[in-house]
Amino acid sequence: MKKAFLSGNEAAARGAWEAGVHVATAYPGTPSTEILENVSKFKEVYAEWSPNEKTAFEVALGASIAGARAMVSMKHVGLNVAADPLFSSSYTGVNGGFVIISADDPGMHSSQNEQDNRRYAKFAKIPLLEPSDSQEVHDFIKEGFEISEKFDTPVLLRLTTRVSHSKGIVKVDERKDVPLKDYKKLPEKYIILPAHAKKRHYFVEERTIKLREYANTSPLNRIEWGDRSLGIITSGISYLHAKEVFPNASFLKLGFSWPFPEKLLKEFLDGVEKAIVIEENEPFLEEEIKFLGYNVEGKKYIPLVDELSPEVVRKGVLKEELERLPDGKGVQRPPQLCPGCPHIGIFYNLWRLRATVTGDIGCYTLGALPPYRAMDTTICMGASVTNAHGFDKARGWDFTKKTVAVIGDSTFVHSGITGLADIVYNKGNSTVIILDNRITAMTGHQHHPGSGKNAKGEKTPKLDFEKLAKAIGVRKVYHVDPHKLRETRKVLREAMATEEPTVVLSERPCALLPEERKKAKERPKKVVLTDKCKGEKCMGCIKLGCPAISLRDGKAYIEPLLCVGCDLCQQVCPFDAIVEEGQNG
Amino acid sequence: MANTKNIIISGVGGQGILTASEILALCAMEEGLDVKKSEVHGMSQRGGSVVSFVKFGEKVYSPLIEKGSGDVILAFEKAEALRWRGYLKKTGGVVIMNTLEIYPNTVSLGLDTYPENIREEFEKYNVKTIEVDAVKLSKEAGDPRTQNTVLLGVLSNFIDFSVDTWINVIERRVPPKTTQANLKAFELGRGVIK
Ligand SMILES: Cc1ncc(C[n+]2csc(CCOP(=O)(O)OP(=O)(O)O)c2C)c(N)n1
Ligand code: SF4
Ligand code: SF4
């Protein structure tokens, strides 16, 4: 048997491939992104980046109905976007096996909330699988396809950041090719007219009863008998943290956790003196158990907020800590836009213009942080456009002429287009800046319909933002290179002052794209002439927010390891104190 | 678990921390041990502070290192060593830190100060403290991008793997064009401790 060192996400891709998956879809989102990136490397699998999670879900469901084994992966908030087809799919059921992967982000390492998507499984009445490590991700996804086909149901495989992004040793196998299932036209199953859906709802309830029975014997659930004075009921990553703190306790380890395996629980409770539930975030298992009438505690010991770790478990349950050294002082080091980032030009100018900015999600959300602090709202993907329209309708033109919406290209395609249609349709006057850096940068550079390539790196038609805006009814569309600071400011002023819907296309590729890196290597870096630099008294280049520039001994300093020679700092220095390497002014 | 070795690798986004932790973990695997490594992708990579935990031994459960159980902090940037001090075990811990200082913009904007006397901050708790000028040694090795391999070389003195294991994994993992520079960097790092 072959062994590999895989992250949870790599293991998901590998397991799905081994299970014979035919179609895989996704929209990127940390911590789920690498699932599709890895599955797209297998030539037997059709893999796509879809424009958003709803489209991704529907494509995968369509493939399943057509007879393929299909999977869709997304981050936790992506399932909110895909919630509509999720609930319908529970009623329709599947043809080929269908696995939905939700990667949740306890601790909010890169997310806007800490929602616990186990609740979606229960809400939509579909089985829930919770692997603890890479090996289990690999094994569970295969089991997931079997369960899906056996019980005619989508299956939710729930990962969390520490499962997705931790690596461990995995025993891997070869692919088993699975033929497509026959396709039959079944209107009563796949057309959820009210009359059909009523019958399907009975089906869903019967299915749940069968799944509840099956959960008791599922190989994904097990009792580990140890010291019987303490029994721990747990699932997912929480199992590993708990095992670390209580290596000798008895465990009810749940991998198939909804519908809840009551018989197994009863056997466990009968065998231990005291039982507690250790789970991250929501009291999902605890509520199930209490509802069944058993008296166990969980959230009495374990916090609702933030991710779990061995020390949180130890503190919560045992009220103690390991002996250790005191925490050291850490300097605040928030993420920043990269040296040479196209977004710098926009946020530097929005700060200079003192604009009100409805923001969105992407690298450019960093425009909310110092030195710019040039953002007023960030709600969810797409909300910049619609929030600006709301501001406009609440406060009128005098306010709107100082307001802009800022949205990335990938985010605009994901869910900004309908908002722009709203502005035009309902006679708004907002200005929308689309930050076209040709890629989905934030999540690690995935293609999207505006980038001209697909998930396999093949060329595809590129969405034309100008034509799209014009077709929606926007009459004034401007183009700017955000690295021409003055010109950009002039265009922004003009667009904002125009009393009708306007779109500004800010066009420059992300500085981390290979072609841009190559250009950077060929360009000379910049240096500061300390005798000309007014340093602390000026702060001009510091306010640009380029991470290569810092203040050292009262003067500006450019770190040569970081500088990409883009020249933005030269544009803002009023004293000509920044020159090319090797020159001295 | 008491019988696992717990290594904290810290630094600033873009310094090659994930490659270094991957090499360390693969060495553990090659030595026949169970191993896990954990880090967070996403926001932290835009120049923010980054950490990777590597744990190996007979059997590893949680991928996270518990505060008070770390054996070594391997820091690619000086202040990023101090941030993780609470993770070291009370006695017998080691810190290896690059002398490189990267000032975040919070310092330039007057929102925070860069920590001082970092070496003393460890030594006062009797932590074995090793400072390495990895920038200089990497240039000596012929490629400034081999700083992470220099630091792995220093770390190798505190871990019970054979030198062959390190060399095999490094050869497998680094871009072929840089193999020579990386092997040289490893050797220079390993030689820091005599
Ligand atoms: C519903 C939802 N899906 C996915 C994400 C993860 N995510 C955050 S921003 C982003 C896209 C950013 O791309 P873009 O708009 O092009 O901006 P860039 O990062 O390139 O500047 C994604 C996929 C999310 N936050 N919410
Ligand atoms: S990854 Fe690209 S878009 Fe994101 S901050 Fe860096 S340069 Fe800017
Ligand atoms: S040229 Fe100036 S602005 Fe551009 S990366 Fe270098 S220091 Fe930063």
Side-chain angles (χ1 to χ4, degrees), chain A residues 27-30 53 75 77-78 81 112 343 361-364 381 408-411 414 437 439-443:
Chain A
Y27 180 73
T30 316
E53 292 86 354
K75 70 182 283 160
V77 290
V81 177
Q112 63 266 43
H343 304 332
I361 310 193
C363 284
Y364 51 94
M381 288 186 75
D409 48 356
S410 183
T411 304
H414 178 284
N437 62 352
I439 205 82
T440 317
M442 166 92 224
T443 44

Side-chain angles (χ1 to χ4, degrees), chain A residues 314 331-333 336, chain B residues 37 46 66 80 83 106:
Chain A
R314 192 183 302 278
V331 60
Q332 284 177 54
R333 196 187 293 279
Q336 272 184 276
Chain B
K37 94 166 180 140
R46 301 280 169 273
E66 184 167 3
E80 296 304 321
R83 185 191 303 282
T106 48

Side-chain angles (χ1 to χ4, degrees), chain B residues 75-141:
Chain B
F76 285 39
E77 196 274 350
K78 240 174 140 175
E80 296 304 321
L82 191 53
R83 185 191 303 282
W84 300 94
R85 188 177 62 188
Y87 281 76
L88 273 189
K89 56 190 186 189
K90 187 127 185 241
T91 48
V94 176
V95 59
I96 300 165
M97 59 191 175
N98 196 354
T99 48
L100 177 71
E101 296 180 357
I102 301 176
Y103 279 37
N105 73 344
T106 48
V107 171
S108 302
L109 294 167
L111 304 170
D112 200 353
T113 55
Y114 194 87
E116 285 172 16
N117 306 324
I118 295 176
R119 185 180 186 101
E120 292 71 25
E121 282 293 325
F122 280 104
E123 286 185 334
K124 73 182 184 201
Y125 295 103
N126 299 317
V127 176
K128 187 172 172 68
T129 306
I130 296 151
E131 283 186 75
V132 193
D133 189 344
V135 179
K136 194 178 116 222
L137 292 178
S138 65
K139 283 186 191 145
E140 231 171 88

Side-chain angles (χ1 to χ4, degrees), chain B residues 51-71:
Chain B
V51 70
S52 178
F53 293 145
V54 182
K55 297 172 81 169
F56 46 89
E58 210 171 294
K59 172 82 193 151
V60 182
Y61 291 111
S62 170
L64 297 183
I65 293 176
E66 184 167 3
K67 280 188 178 176
S69 72
D71 294 286

Side-chain angles (χ1 to χ4, degrees), chain A residues 306-583:
Chain A
D306 212 345
E307 70 172 348
L308 274 195
S309 63
E311 73 244 15
V312 174
V313 170
R314 192 183 302 278
K315 244 189 239 162
V317 183
L318 298 173
K319 315 282 175 242
E320 62 178 42
E321 262 190 286
L322 291 183
E323 271 203 310
R324 65 180 181 92
L325 301 182
D327 290 328
K329 175 194 169 349
V331 60
Q332 284 177 54
R333 196 187 293 279
Q336 272 184 276
L337 296 173
C338 302
C341 173
H343 304 332
I344 290 179
I346 293 293
F347 285 100
Y348 175 75
N349 277 317
L350 290 174
W351 164 71
R352 292 275 309 254
L353 293 169
R354 305 290 184 268
T356 297
V357 180
T358 56
D360 224 298
I361 310 193
C363 284
Y364 51 94
T365 313
L366 297 172
L369 302 183
Y372 322 106
R373 294 190 171 96
M375 204 168 278
D376 293 66
T377 62
T378 300
I379 308 298
C380 63
M381 288 186 75
S384 56
V385 181
T386 30
N387 278 173
H389 186 50
F391 273 47
D392 180 15
K393 293 302 170 185
R395 305 192 77 95
W397 174 240
D398 275 347
F399 196 85
T400 292
K401 68 184 184 200
K402 289 179 241 143
T403 304
V404 295
V406 174
I407 185 165
D409 48 356
S410 183
T411 304
F412 182 71
V413 180
H414 178 284
S415 49
I417 300 170
T418 43
L420 191 61
D422 188 4
I423 291 174
V424 174
Y425 169 56
N426 285 307
K427 300 180 179 172
N429 294 311
S430 297
T431 295
V432 176
I433 305 174
I434 300 174
L435 303 170
D436 181 4
N437 62 352
R438 319 280 153 80
I439 205 82
T440 317
M442 166 92 224
T443 44
H445 303 93
Q446 293 76 31
H447 287 293
H448 62 70
S451 76
K453 285 197 180 151
N454 66 15
K456 300 243 179 193
E458 300 152 350
K459 273 191 128 178
T460 63
K462 184 180 172 324
L463 190 152
D464 184 326
F465 290 104
E466 174 169 359
K467 280 194 187 143
L468 174 67
K470 291 243 163 101
I472 284 174
V474 178
R475 293 187 305 170
K476 293 204 169 155
V477 180
Y478 303 83
H479 296 261
V480 295
D481 171 357
H483 273 203
K484 295 191 174 135
L485 291 176
R486 276 219 182 97
E487 202 181 302
T488 299
R489 192 146 69 243
K490 201 177 129 245
V491 169
L492 288 178
R493 270 210 197 95
E494 188 186 319
M496 287 159 75
T498 306
E499 203 171 347
E500 63 179 280
T502 50
V503 166
V504 178
L505 291 171
S506 167
E507 295 165 321
R508 175 173 274 269
C510 163
L512 293 191
L513 290 179
E515 312 84 79
E516 293 302 301
R517 286 194 202 225
K518 201 162 145 247
K519 280 189 215 156
K521 255 196 212 147
E522 287 156 9
R523 273 189 310 241
K525 297 178 190 301
K526 310 291 173 185
V527 292
V528 177
L529 301 172
T530 25
D531 48 335
K532 282 194 177 180
C533 172
K534 303 273 190 259
E536 273 164 324
K537 290 196 208 81
C538 165
M539 298 289 278
C541 61
I542 301 282
K543 294 275 169 65
L544 192 62
C546 169
I549 310 175
S550 60
L551 207 57
R552 296 246 176 153
D553 307 319
K555 301 273 179 163
Y557 165 74
I558 295 178
E559 171 57 57
L561 288 173
L562 298 176
C563 176
V564 296
C566 71
D567 101 341
L568 282 174
C569 51
Q570 278 183 308
Q571 293 181 43
V572 299
C573 176
F575 304 105
D576 295 326
I578 300 176
V579 296
E580 279 180 10
E581 219 171 23
Q583 290 182 341

